[in-house]
Amino acid sequence: MYRLPLFPLNVVLFPGAPLPLHIFEARYRRMVARCLEFDRRFGVVFHDADRMGPFLMEEGRIGTIAEIQKFRPLEDGRSLIATRGISRFRIRDGIESEEPYYEGLVEPYEDEARGFQNIYQRRRDSIELFDSVVASMENQPEEVPTFDPAFELSFQVAPTIQIDPFWQQELLELRSEVDRLDRLNQILQAALDEGGAVEPREED
């Protein structure tokens, strides 16, 4: 377990996905400054305050470590940062400290250790399904995402699909690449049957 600054946001960050942020609130300015002094990392936890109430750092919440890759200071202490998801974590406990931002004691949250047969082909099948959805769209996107089946495909595909963040959070919490691909395939197949109803999201 280790200590990690926490940033509750109404967005789900997947490992490997980019996340640009405008930092303007005083406590998160402080958090970013501290991160830049150390390892440039903080935890993003999906939280919709309107539907979920106050963020309480509940034990068991799953989030993703974000690493600051670019930092651009603005006037009045604001900043623009470019981050990328690194890996998932689980909150074990909240930390009371003098810092104005949230901090938690977290542990790595990894997939269950079990082998899968033909995982590469499963990923190829999902890529073909995604491409079929894009090809069926009436308005073709200017740029079509490309994927590498040698790595976890589910975390590559999920950020490109415009879909409810609560569904995305459920996907993030699954501990099996096969299970995540099955969930994504259901969405993609439904979109294909409806003529491309799910739109790929252009990367920022």
Side-chain angles (χ1 to χ4, degrees):
M1 294 186 290
Y2 54 97
R3 188 170 182 157
L4 186 69
L6 300 176
F7 197 169
L9 290 170
N10 190 15
V11 64
V12 177
L13 176 63
F14 290 97
L19 179 63
L21 293 170
H22 174 203
I23 306 300
F24 55 89
E25 193 173 342
R27 58 178 166 174
Y28 295 118
R29 295 182 194 176
R30 172 65 176 170
M31 184 194 75
V32 167
R34 293 291 288 171
C35 289
L36 292 172
E37 290 177 9
F38 294 99
D39 62 359
R40 307 177 74 90
R41 296 185 176 191
F42 59 90
V44 172
V45 183
F46 168 66
H47 189 78
D48 185 334
D50 292 335
R51 298 168 65 178
M52 302 169 68
F55 179 64
L56 300 175
M57 294 187 288
E58 300 95 328
E59 180 180 357
R61 295 283 295 274
I62 308 302
T64 300
I65 294 174
E67 183 175 67
I68 300 172
Q69 298 186 321
K70 294 182 181 179
F71 172 78
R72 178 185 173 191
L74 301 174
E75 296 179 358
D76 303 323
R78 296 176 296 116
S79 64
L80 299 176
I81 62 174
T83 76
R84 185 168 295 274
I86 302 299
S87 59
R88 296 174 294 174
F89 64 87
R90 174 166 48 200
I91 297 176
R92 290 297 302 271
D93 198 2
I95 294 177
E96 297 291 338
S97 74
E98 296 181 356
E99 296 292 353
Y101 51 84
Y102 299 104
E103 289 187 286
L105 190 63
V106 307
E107 64 183 1
Y109 185 79
E110 301 174 348
D111 278 355
E112 297 174 347
R114 53 187 173 124
F116 301 105
Q117 294 183 347
N118 303 319
I119 186 63
Y120 186 84
Q121 185 57 50
R122 292 286 297 270
R123 291 170 176 165
R124 292 296 311 171
D125 292 342
S126 294
I127 292 173
E128 291 179 7
L129 184 56
F130 181 93
D131 290 342
S132 296
V133 172
V134 174
S136 71
M137 294 172 59
E138 182 175 348
N139 298 318
Q140 294 290 310
E142 294 182 3
E143 295 185 10
V144 178
T146 58
F147 310 111
D148 188 347
F151 300 96
E152 288 178 315
L153 179 70
S154 56
F155 291 148
Q156 299 177 60
V157 174
T160 72
I161 299 177
Q162 296 181 0
I163 199 165
D164 182 77
F166 283 89
W167 188 94
Q168 289 185 322
Q169 180 64 24
E170 291 180 0
L171 189 77
L172 181 73
E173 295 178 8
L174 291 176
R175 307 185 75 176
S176 162
E177 170 76 341
V178 169
D179 291 345
R180 290 191 296 269
L181 289 176
D182 286 344
R183 290 281 188 94
L184 286 168
N185 287 351
Q186 291 173 7
I187 293 293
L188 294 172
Q189 187 61 56
L192 186 61
D193 294 341
E194 296 174 9
V198 174
E199 298 183 2
R201 175 186 298 153
E202 293 186 6
E203 185 172 302
D204 294 311

